Amino acid sequence: MKKLILTILSIIAVIPLAKTQTNYSKINKENLIIKEWNTDAKTGKKVLDHITTYNADRKKIEEIEYGLSGQKWRKRYEYGQNGKCAKESVYNERNQLVNYKTFEYNKYGRKSVQYTHDARGKIISIKKFEYILSDEQQ
């Protein structure tokens, strides 16, 4: 009887722990923040390396890269009515806008043109995307 009571008590004690642990196989990107840490092999010191943030629509809205002295750069993503990334803004370590990219998409939803603008809005480069199926894939 004592064994049965001890078994029941141990199961009851473990149930709250099981509920607090994250089931990583069920994580989706809805309102998710991912932090990446580097650990020095000699000292064991952890240093924040990168943070990626997703919104309620599971779309990436921000990335921040860090170095030993703090933030290196930050990118913000904005989405259009088609659900595709419409604008990607890049900021420096002082959170000043460096440049931004805007995008056009083809009828299949793939990027067709990328415009890179300086902080004042002047286009500084244009990249066009071409999609070609090789004979091997047909």
Side-chain angles (χ1 to χ4, degrees), residues 107-125:
K107 64 183 178 182
Y108 303 108
R110 297 185 183 267
K111 283 182 191 174
S112 59
V113 183
Q114 170 186 299
Y115 301 95
T116 303
H117 309 257
D118 66 15
R120 295 181 181 180
K122 181 181 176 187
I123 294 176
I124 55 177
S125 70

Side-chain angles (χ1 to χ4, degrees), residues 21-126:
Q21 292 180 355
T22 303
N23 185 348
Y24 289 105
S25 65
K26 293 185 178 183
I27 289 180
N28 61 38
K29 293 180 181 176
E30 185 176 319
N31 295 321
L32 180 65
I33 297 173
I34 300 172
K35 290 185 175 183
E36 299 174 32
W37 297 86
N38 286 327
T39 304
D40 186 288
K42 292 180 182 177
T43 65
K45 181 180 177 184
K46 282 177 45 174
V47 178
L48 185 60
D49 179 63
H50 198 94
I51 296 177
T52 306
T53 306
Y54 296 85
N55 66 12
D57 296 326
R58 301 176 182 163
K59 303 236 185 251
K60 185 189 311 184
I61 57 169
E62 185 173 68
E63 285 184 272
I64 305 172
E65 181 82 23
Y66 294 92
L68 292 176
S69 61
Q71 179 181 308
K72 289 182 182 179
W73 55 262
R74 179 172 65 100
K75 288 184 184 177
R76 296 276 307 159
Y77 301 89
E78 298 174 31
Y79 295 86
Q81 291 178 343
N82 62 0
K84 302 285 186 183
C85 185
K87 186 176 181 181
E88 176 186 307
S89 302
V90 180
Y91 300 85
N92 64 17
E93 68 279 357
R94 294 183 302 261
N95 279 322
Q96 297 169 324
L97 181 64
V98 174
N99 64 48
Y100 64 92
K101 296 174 183 172
T102 56
F103 307 96
E104 291 180 9
Y105 294 87
N106 65 23
K107 64 183 178 182
Y108 303 108
R110 297 185 183 267
K111 283 182 191 174
S112 59
V113 183
Q114 170 186 299
Y115 301 95
T116 303
H117 309 257
D118 66 15
R120 295 181 181 180
K122 181 181 176 187
I123 294 176
I124 55 177
S125 70
I126 299 171

Side-chain angles (χ1 to χ4, degrees), residues 8-18:
I8 292 171
L9 289 176
S10 63
I11 290 172
I12 292 171
V14 172
I15 290 173
L17 294 175

